[in-house]
Amino acid sequence: LIQSFTLTNNQLIDLENLLETHRLMTRIFYSLNWLDLPEIFEDNIDNWMNEFLFYLAYKNNVLVSNKEVPGPVEKLQAAIIDNLNLYASKYDEEFNPYLPQFTQSIWQLLIQVITIEPKYDILATNAIKFLISISNKPRNAGLFNESIVKDIIENIVIRNIICVEHDEELFNDNPVDYIRKDIEGSDQDSRRRCSIELIRSLLKHFHNYITNLCLTYISSLLDNYYINPSTNWKSKDTALHLFLSVSIVSQSSNSGAITLNQSINLIDFFTKYILTDLHDSNINSNPIIKADIIKMVCIYRIQFPSSFILELIPHLIKYLNSEYIVVSTYSAYTIEKFLTIKDKDAASNVSINRITKDGIKPYIEILLTNLFVVLDNSDYVENDYVMKCVMRVLHTLSTDIIPYIALLLGKLTILLSNACKNPMNPYYNHYLFESIALIIKSIYPTIHAIDGTAINNIYNQLELSLFPSFQFILTQDIVEFIPYVFQLLAQLLSSRLGSSTGLSNSYRALFPPLLTPSMWERKGNVPALIDLLKAYISVGMNEIIAGNHLVGILGVFQKLLSNKSTEVHAFSLLVSIIQHNTTATLSPYLSTVFNLLLIRMQDQLKDNNKTPKYCKHFIHFIILFSFLHSAEKLNEIFESLTPGLLVMIILNVMSNNIVQCCSLDKIEMKQMIVGFTRLLVSPVLVSRSDAWIAVLKFVLLLVNAESGKTIVDSDDLTFIDEEAEAREFDSTYSKLLYATLPPPVSSVEVAAASAFFIKSLAEFTSKYPGQYTSTIQSGLDAKMMNELQELLQLNGVTLM
């Protein structure tokens, strides 16, 4: 119908409607072919492809649209190329006979029809993606030759890689969007990004030719730039992005350029064309070029030795003062990325940081000052890239930030107060609270070398600075920040373990409201509140008991246990309670607590909803109780509920779920080894050999599993992988990675759990010569017997 249309101005609307109808049919074609190739389309593929070829070449001067918005022809052609991309990637066997025609048609469309006008953006990117798709496949290399490749680079790549007016406007008027597009890769569908990928795709087939050709164009563009840098800056911008496309074989967002084109001398290029601009004393001249070179420094970062990076850092600090927010943000972003570069130590096979705190210590004051200046810039309120850089600097410097704590707290509390007025950027907020956590964390390693009064003075200073903001957040019910506040309060309070003064007045006043049911209604509050309650228990248990608050805490435990989503937090709280209370203090409540745990387990079994996670935590808790409060007391509690109950739990619950306990962390597994050992050598199971040998098997299983695990040293927590800091925050609760403290010092038995087990077993069997050795030999399989013998030999003991 369109082909037979005799167009007049009065018929323009009709033609536009017809073309829109064709576009919709083309989109329907895509949907119907997306999952699989239907037989009807396969049988009629020739008809469809001929129609697509016709409309790719279709022109009509009356239908020329304005420069900004795609017209009906551009929309239809973009939809057609989407279909061709689908067929080229999924149905290449059926599509292969038509591939040469479409390749030539699209190539000519890009060269002869598509201009830099914004209305062609979608069509251009779709067309370039098609060329990328087919050039990625080795069998399609014959569709290209050196002449065609030269045409593609000259008339497609360079034309579409140039900085356009829209990019300039974005740089100046909307720097946030410019940054997101440029360094986060949200411009995957941009002409520039697609053109870069096209070069890299073609490099696989014409490596030497394309490398030399691109270097020639780069040299020519740079020569043009240096004729008049202020006027011809686009030439250098194009040259730099052409260099990015031809010099990098593979890259990732975490590491930057991983594999380079070995035919290109990176350091030579940097020395000639990057460092000269980076060293420029006029930090505000040619701002887009300045942003480009800083971005390139960041992209190639892992290719540079530490000495080269350390030479770059002072210049990047200088650019934090740029009046252009893109330039200053790129500088902060690059410094932050420098501090995450890791190298594997050949001797220990452990990842170490290429840039240590010694590398940035000479610049601490100017670096922190300039970063906070950028954060005060009203053109980019809540700049998460810069705040993340502050966080990274603080955790790189660790204890060396102590002399600057007053300055840091002053700046961060002002930023926190501003954020409280209207929380907008969750990433910025998270890094802000992580930075505060790092200040608290930096003090902890030094407190054991300081007297008690000095410790109190340090934490009093922290609390004096932070509590006003925390109180404002809590009283104004700023939902986004409350879980963060609870985590920081827990961290602050836990840090007072070195103090003998117990709870301060502020913490005493805060405690009773924490036990009110309404406080626990919000899902996001629960993990943070648990941390805070555990901190109260560890530091101020005596005051909690004196104030008759233990029953309230147990009430919280009961509430959490009743819900599957919070039962893990119930166990966490319960473990803390038994770790910081004597048996005498707990005795009035133990039967009720154990009964609640058993009822919860029975409910799950009744509903066929038994969860291995619940059983794992249940077993860990009761065996930890055996370790802390004796196996005899454990058995006494179970006997008060149902005679023989402990044996039933050992033979039914533990036997079926002990393997789940192998997923506990190393310290928890060591605790269980000691707890099971206390049960093993107690009089509790003397008359039940079946339960006794089952417990022995449990211990051997845990010893074997524990020996294959590694403890995360507290020092390792100072550098947390990028993956752990990925920008995926829960809408209600986000864990502060740096608000954690090193685990408490383990007891002697836990520190050497395996040795404690085997020596205790040897001592126990010596009291009953021959009685238990026969039980062991008949109850253990060959594998476990070998493991037991190895432990005996290792520790120089024998069983009697």
Side-chain angles (χ1 to χ4, degrees), residues 19-36:
L19 288 168
E20 175 61 12
T21 302
H22 275 56
R23 188 192 70 82
L24 292 173
M25 288 191 295
T26 305
R27 297 308 297 156
I28 293 170
F29 177 96
Y30 183 92
S31 299
L32 293 173
N33 285 266
W34 181 79
L35 185 62
D36 200 1

Side-chain angles (χ1 to χ4, degrees), residues 354-406:
R354 188 175 299 181
I355 305 301
T356 64
K357 62 182 180 181
D358 292 332
I360 60 171
K361 275 170 66 175
Y363 315 108
I364 292 179
E365 290 190 40
I366 185 66
L367 174 56
L368 291 174
T369 299
N370 288 1
L371 286 171
F372 283 114
V373 168
V374 183
L375 287 170
D376 289 334
N377 192 322
S378 59
D379 290 338
Y380 191 170
V381 179
E382 300 192 357
N383 189 326
D384 50 295
Y385 299 101
V386 180
M387 183 53 72
K388 189 175 185 181
C389 184
V390 171
M391 179 196 76
R392 188 72 61 200
V393 169
L394 296 185
H395 106 295
T396 300
L397 292 171
S398 188
T399 56
D400 287 348
I401 67 171
I402 291 177
Y404 307 95
I405 282 180

Side-chain angles (χ1 to χ4, degrees), residues 721-757:
D721 290 340
E722 283 287 283
E723 289 78 3
E725 290 171 349
R727 298 177 159 211
E728 294 177 5
F729 307 126
D730 188 278
S731 59
T732 57
Y733 172 77
S734 296
K735 176 68 178 172
L736 290 174
L737 299 176
Y738 300 115
T740 55
L741 288 173
V745 178
S746 300
S747 64
V748 175
E749 297 95 330
V750 170
S754 298
F756 174 79
F757 153 65

Side-chain angles (χ1 to χ4, degrees), residues 44 204 256 264 321 623 734 744:
N44 292 278
K204 298 171 187 175
I264 293 177
N321 288 320
I623 298 306
S734 296

Side-chain angles (χ1 to χ4, degrees), residues 598 601-602 605 610 618-619 622 635 638-639 641-657 679 684-685 688 690-692 694-695 698:
L598 291 168
M601 180 175 286
Q602 288 173 341
L605 290 170
K610 177 183 173 185
F618 174 76
I619 296 168
I622 62 175
N635 186 56
F638 280 123
E639 286 294 314
L641 297 173
T642 302
L645 183 56
L646 178 57
V647 171
M648 286 189 279
I649 289 173
I650 290 170
L651 296 177
N652 296 308
V653 178
M654 292 188 184
S655 292
N656 294 329
N657 295 280
L679 180 59
V684 172
L685 302 179
R688 291 300 301 262
D690 53 346
W692 190 90
V695 171
F698 301 159

